[in-house]
Amino acid sequence: MTRMFVDAWDPSYGASYEGADGGEGPASPSSAQVDTDVEIPAAEWAPIDVSPSVRRPDVVFLVDGVRRNDAGLWTAEEDGTSYAGLAASYAAGVVRCDLGRGQAELVGAKVGRGLFTASPTASDVQAGTVRYTVHRIEGAGEASKLPSAVQPSLTALEIDISSEARAVGSDGADLLVVDGPLRNRRQLPRTIGYVKTQQKQYLPGALTPVVTSLRPGQRTPVFHLGTVWGGWSWYLRLPGGSGAPWSGIVRVECSPDLAPDEAIELAELSSATLPRFASASYKDPRAPQNLVPIAGLERRLRTMLGDARFLHRALTKATALTR
């Protein structure tokens, strides 16, 4: 008899994994070269429990960012050409979790605003009390590509605020959890990227059963991804899933600049630390993958972005003055 499961993840957010109709997990294979013999030979792969010798970090920093498109714009150049523009707001913040005391606090948050365009003549826009700084992008600047141009500025803000938070509230043995892939944040020390939505199938089919057989708190062995950003990676199952094969599965990664032993150490820390932050379905529509501190941080950051309707009106008024 076919078993069926209801995913705790709210379908309005898509799916926690994007797979085939049969629910067998990510169906889109990755073209990346994968080395699965890093920690354990592929023929010996099996779920790994948290070692009793692992010393959990006393302090965990979790960083996340949000962004919002406030308005689309167009320029009218003197030579008759026109360029698309995007006025966007973005914010990044860090939550410091003291595991010994059971306390969590927001230790830093910043908001940035930008006007993203390929226009060679566009200047900053002052919309009431809010200033949108020009970020000139390369190429033709098609409107469809402008939203992705915001990400580097958001990433830079996340790096700045993470470094500042650690400089003040770190004991030198902490762990930094970045919500999402590391990408160009790989230089941050003692840092892991936390990928909660699985879109690609990185492992060969023969090793997929190891992932789906994970129990809460268990992880797969570390493997190496030969993608553009590269890096060490592993899968981990959080508690609170529906019981479906890929429910509660997250992929964790760390910098490719680390030695294999250092990557394995971070993998051990992740399986000893992340499950305690898993969310519950009655609290979060993206449970259990959307970690509790991250969910609270996202709500706070979105509030800091300000009223979208007010900013849209202010931008409309400010650009009208240029005509």
Side-chain angles (χ1 to χ4, degrees):
M1 179 180 294
T2 300
R3 296 183 299 162
M4 300 185 70
F5 304 87
V6 174
D7 196 347
W9 188 283
D10 188 328
S12 65
Y13 289 97
S16 56
Y17 55 86
E18 296 184 2
D21 293 340
E24 296 300 322
S28 177
S30 170
S31 59
Q33 293 184 341
V34 181
D35 180 3
T36 55
D37 296 323
V38 175
E39 183 176 1
I40 297 173
E44 301 174 15
W45 265 43
I48 298 177
D49 291 303
V50 179
S51 171
S53 63
V54 174
R55 182 185 179 277
R56 294 172 174 82
D58 295 327
V59 175
V60 178
F61 291 95
L62 297 101
V63 60
D64 194 16
V66 299
R67 64 188 191 187
R68 186 185 66 206
N69 299 336
D70 292 335
L73 301 93
W74 289 92
T75 68
E77 309 292 327
E78 290 186 358
D79 62 2
T81 59
S82 182
Y83 292 89
L86 175 65
S89 296
Y90 49 94
V94 180
V95 175
R96 181 182 187 273
C97 297
D98 188 322
L99 303 187
R101 298 180 180 179
Q103 296 178 340
E105 60 177 334
L106 180 68
V107 292
K110 291 183 178 180
V111 176
R113 319 247 187 210
L115 170 59
F116 298 84
T117 180
S119 167
T121 62
S123 57
D124 297 354
V125 175
Q126 188 70 37
T129 60
V130 175
R131 189 174 191 84
Y132 289 82
T133 304
V134 167
H135 293 261
R136 225 169 300 281
I137 65 172
E138 298 180 356
E142 298 96 323
S144 61
K145 296 182 179 180
L146 292 178
S148 61
V150 182
Q151 187 59 45
S153 296
L154 176 55
T155 298
L157 196 61
E158 291 178 358
I159 292 173
D160 288 344
I161 204 163
S162 299
S163 300
E164 291 175 6
R166 273 181 152 175
V168 175
S170 173
D171 61 359
D174 57 31
L175 178 67
L176 177 65
V177 181
V178 173
D179 189 52
L182 278 182
R183 294 193 176 97
N184 54 354
R185 292 167 287 201
R186 57 197 245 177
Q187 76 278 13
L188 297 173
R190 302 181 308 282
T191 300
I192 56 176
Y194 176 81
V195 184
K196 53 181 176 276
T197 303
Q198 310 311 314
Q199 299 176 332
K200 294 287 185 180
Q201 175 64 273
Y202 291 104
L203 296 176
L207 295 180
T208 298
V210 178
V211 180
T212 56
S213 66
L214 293 175
R215 296 194 304 271
Q218 290 184 324
R219 67 173 177 88
T220 67
V222 172
F223 55 95
H224 186 268
L225 288 175
T227 60
V228 173
W229 292 106
W232 308 103
S233 192
W234 57 96
Y235 288 100
L236 167 69
R237 189 187 294 274
L238 300 177
S242 67
W246 282 80
S247 178
I249 296 291
V250 297
R251 187 175 64 82
V252 191
E253 61 183 32
C254 63
S255 172
D257 299 332
L258 299 176
D261 288 347
E262 294 174 309
I264 294 170
E265 181 181 357
L266 283 175
E268 287 283 85
L269 286 178
S270 73
S271 57
T273 304
L274 294 179
R276 69 183 301 165
F277 296 125
S279 53
S281 58
Y282 72 92
K283 291 183 177 180
D284 194 305
R286 289 177 287 172
Q289 290 96 316
N290 201 36
L291 303 179
V292 172
I294 292 293
L297 177 58
E298 287 177 340
R299 289 192 294 269
R300 179 68 177 272
L301 293 176
R302 289 195 179 97
T303 300
M304 293 176 62
L305 294 182
D307 187 286
R309 292 171 298 180
F310 173 82
L311 289 170
H312 192 277
R313 288 195 298 267
L315 283 163
T316 301
K317 183 177 180 180
T319 54
L321 297 175
T322 66
R323 297 195 289 271

